[in-house]
Amino acid sequence: DAKTTQPNSMESNEEEPVHLPCNHSTISGTDYIHWYRQLPSQGPEYVIHGLTSNVNNRMASLAIAEDRKSSTLILHRATLRDAAVYYCILNRQGAQKLVFGQGTRLTINP
Amino acid sequence: NAGVTQTPKFRILKIGQSMTLQCTQDMNHNYMYWYRQDPGMGLKLIYYSVGAGITDKGEVPNGYNVSRSTTEDFPLRLELAAPSQTSVYFCASSSWTGANYGYTFGSGTRLTVV
């Protein structure tokens, strides 16, 4: 499985944008970039995913570098409820499973 | 729409006891998964299934068994519980399209083996 590298922790302020980076230099052409988050004492929650183009949904935006070796999850206006561990995962078509790393623990200051 | 439902939410087992963690999904997803999460760690895949009657091992299958007799249900069996199996267990499901689809997770079963 191709690996991803994320910072262990990040901190931001409420109502400000947050940019969570992820490096995946060994990504292959059939790897989808998935983001999940895990709020305290809850199961992981799907956030967004993409292949080559930038993606937007009601929760966040995903910006994918042109060479696909890195991506950024963007929370446009952080709230206290966005404090969670965010996982960037490469999901290869045909691989049939997600492999989780350690993720980034995001702290939001009031 | 209930999504992925796990029962029980909490359980304390004595060493050597057995139990089954239940997982049911109502989204007609073909793919189902069992993960465990130890304190402060990421999730590790125990077993997964790509459809009824088909199961395969993940990263940490030892001490566990699974079966998939229906599309909806994917129970996880612990035989001879050990303290090392103290963890939070999450079940998840995804559609047949696999990588181009998000996974839905249950709320977890917190298991303590004493």
Side-chain angles (χ1 to χ4, degrees):
Chain A
D1 297 314
K3 299 290 186 188
T4 63
T5 303
Q6 299 178 254
N8 288 334
S9 62
M10 289 184 64
E11 200 168 325
S12 187
N13 298 319
E14 200 174 9
E15 298 186 4
E16 292 183 355
V18 180
H19 291 236
L20 294 161
C22 181
N23 287 319
H24 28 79
S25 59
T26 59
I27 192 170
S28 80
T30 58
D31 286 337
Y32 285 79
I33 302 161
H34 282 237
W35 284 83
Y36 289 78
R37 72 179 185 180
Q38 188 173 21
L39 302 173
S41 301
Q42 295 190 26
E45 174 186 29
Y46 167 79
V47 177
I48 200 166
H49 78 282
L51 184 61
T52 56
S53 302
N54 295 344
V55 185
N56 300 296
N57 66 20
R58 64 174 180 81
M59 290 180 70
S61 295
L62 176 60
I64 302 173
E66 198 168 332
D67 64 5
R68 299 212 321 129
K69 293 186 176 183
S70 65
S71 61
T72 302
L73 179 71
I74 302 166
L75 308 179
H76 294 286
R77 197 163 169 268
T79 68
L80 295 178
R81 197 191 173 277
D82 291 321
V85 178
Y86 286 79
Y87 297 98
C88 169
I89 305 170
L90 299 183
N91 191 8
R92 181 164 297 173
Q93 187 66 32
Q96 302 169 340
K97 56 185 184 286
L98 286 178
V99 178
F100 282 77
Q102 291 299 106
T104 296
R105 182 173 298 277
L106 176 65
T107 301
I108 304 296
N109 300 314
Chain B
N1 202 356
V4 176
T5 302
Q6 292 183 238
T7 57
K9 292 193 183 306
F10 303 92
R11 184 73 186 268
I12 298 175
L13 276 183
K14 294 184 178 179
I15 295 171
Q17 288 185 321
S18 300
M19 77 165 292
T20 299
L21 282 67
Q22 302 291 345
C23 176
T24 299
Q25 53 92 9
D26 62 358
M27 298 169 284
N28 202 33
H29 284 170
N30 274 19
Y31 293 10
M32 295 188 74
Y33 309 83
W34 275 106
Y35 289 87
R36 61 175 284 173
Q37 185 174 35
D38 297 334
M41 306 295 286
L43 282 76
K44 292 194 181 299
L45 182 64
I46 306 171
Y47 271 97
Y48 65 99
S49 169
V50 300
I54 306 169
T55 62
D56 208 346
K57 296 178 180 178
E59 304 167 79
V60 290
N62 291 344
Y64 307 94
N65 281 300
V66 293
S67 60
R68 183 98 181 269
S69 57
T70 67
T71 298
E72 295 78 20
D73 300 308
F74 190 39
L76 177 71
R77 179 81 177 163
L78 277 71
E79 305 282 2
L80 298 174
S84 61
Q85 294 177 305
T86 294
S87 192
V88 182
Y89 292 82
F90 292 103
C91 180
S93 72
S94 181
S95 84
W96 66 274
T97 54
N100 190 21
Y101 199 84
Y103 285 40
T104 301
F105 284 81
S107 57
T109 295
R110 186 175 298 273
L111 175 67
T112 302
V113 181
V114 296

